[in-house]
Amino acid sequence: GQQVMQIPQYQHVQEGEDFTTYCNSSTTLSNIQWYKQRPGGHPVFLIQLVKSGEVKKQKRLTFQFGEAKKNSSLHITATQTTDVGTYFCAATSSSGSARQLTFGSGTQLTVLP
Amino acid sequence: DAMVIQNPRYQVTQFGKPVTLSCSQTLNHNVMYWYQQKSSQAPKLLFHYYDKDFNNEADTPDNFQSRRPNTSFCFLDIRSPGLGDAAMYLCATSRDHTAYSYEQYFGPGTRLTVT
């Protein structure tokens, strides 16, 4: 089945530093979604990217979808303690069902005050 | 507020004793999903319903079954829980489009312990 690789697995940053997590697929993706899961919580939808080369911003968060639609990144500028959690990408293959998301392994972000 | 509700939030069952987890939604979404999430891992899709159409993932064990009696409710039945089935079980919903994925709304999860 489809696999989505996500790196790094863990990231510790000092508050105020930037953070980036990357997702890569060997197959072309139809779209990619990003979710945040706080410790002890459930995944919460952040954004969806559909178009090749698409860039979207949400305040300090910048999301990118690669030109080949095989990779994506989430960048957080000037992290805050409220950014703590695990960030997952989740993708739908261009050849698969639009209803079936494959989650990346996640990047667990720790922000040190 | 429209939402996804899961009951119970914590469930303890004995090895081999059947258990049922429930999920309800007020979003009127026609797709409902069940995921299994183990500690420090990504959610793993077990199956999903599009209306009453059941779709099982190829690697979901036969031990896991699901029922969706109506649009609002969906149940996860584990017929004979093993120690390896201890996990967080997440229910999610979404609108449906055959060629376009919509965001998924997750419930708070049920944490299952098997003793």
Side-chain angles (χ1 to χ4, degrees), chain B residues 15-36:
Chain B
F15 182 94
K17 185 175 181 180
V19 66
T20 295
L21 310 181
S22 73
C23 176
S24 64
Q25 55 130 341
T26 60
L27 296 159
N28 203 33
H29 286 165
N30 52 6
V31 190
M32 294 187 77
Y33 308 81
W34 279 104
Y35 289 88
Q36 179 192 65

Side-chain angles (χ1 to χ4, degrees), chain B residues 9-81:
Chain B
R9 295 292 309 278
Y10 301 91
Q11 176 74 58
V12 180
T13 190
Q14 293 178 335
F15 182 94
K17 185 175 181 180
V19 66
T20 295
L21 310 181
S22 73
C23 176
S24 64
Q25 55 130 341
T26 60
L27 296 159
N28 203 33
H29 286 165
N30 52 6
V31 190
M32 294 187 77
Y33 308 81
W34 279 104
Y35 289 88
Q36 179 192 65
Q37 186 177 29
K38 296 189 176 181
S39 182
S40 299
Q41 294 185 19
K44 180 179 180 298
L45 182 64
L46 296 174
F47 24 61
H48 75 272
Y49 273 96
Y50 167 54
D51 288 333
K52 288 184 180 268
D53 181 23
F54 177 72
N55 296 270
N56 198 32
E57 291 300 296
D59 57 354
T60 298
D62 292 340
N63 196 28
F64 292 86
Q65 303 286 322
S66 186
R67 296 169 284 135
R68 189 179 185 187
N70 54 53
T71 300
S72 301
F73 286 87
C74 196
F75 300 96
L76 171 61
D77 301 308
I78 308 177
R79 293 191 297 187
S80 182

Side-chain angles (χ1 to χ4, degrees), chain A residues 14-73:
Chain A
Q14 206 71 37
E15 189 173 17
E17 292 181 337
D18 292 355
F19 159 77
T20 305
T21 174
Y22 302 89
C23 275
N24 292 285
S25 170
S26 58
T27 60
T28 303
L29 303 172
S30 176
N31 53 42
I32 194 160
Q33 299 178 359
W34 286 91
Y35 290 81
K36 177 183 178 181
Q37 186 172 21
R38 294 181 185 273
H42 57 276
V44 175
F45 176 81
L46 294 176
I47 208 156
Q48 175 163 269
L49 304 171
V50 179
K51 299 176 183 176
S52 169
E54 190 169 16
V55 178
K56 288 188 176 181
K57 293 190 176 184
Q58 289 180 350
K59 296 183 179 178
R60 295 177 294 105
L61 278 61
T62 302
F63 304 84
Q64 293 189 338
F65 202 8
E67 293 289 341
K69 299 184 76 173
K70 289 186 176 182
N71 58 74
S72 181
S73 65

Side-chain angles (χ1 to χ4, degrees), chain B residues 82-104:
Chain B
L83 297 179
D85 296 327
M88 176 73 82
Y89 289 88
L90 294 162
C91 174
T93 72
S94 74
R95 290 186 288 165
D96 180 71
H97 189 285
T98 54
Y100 184 85
S101 293
Y102 284 97
E103 64 188 274
Q104 294 190 12

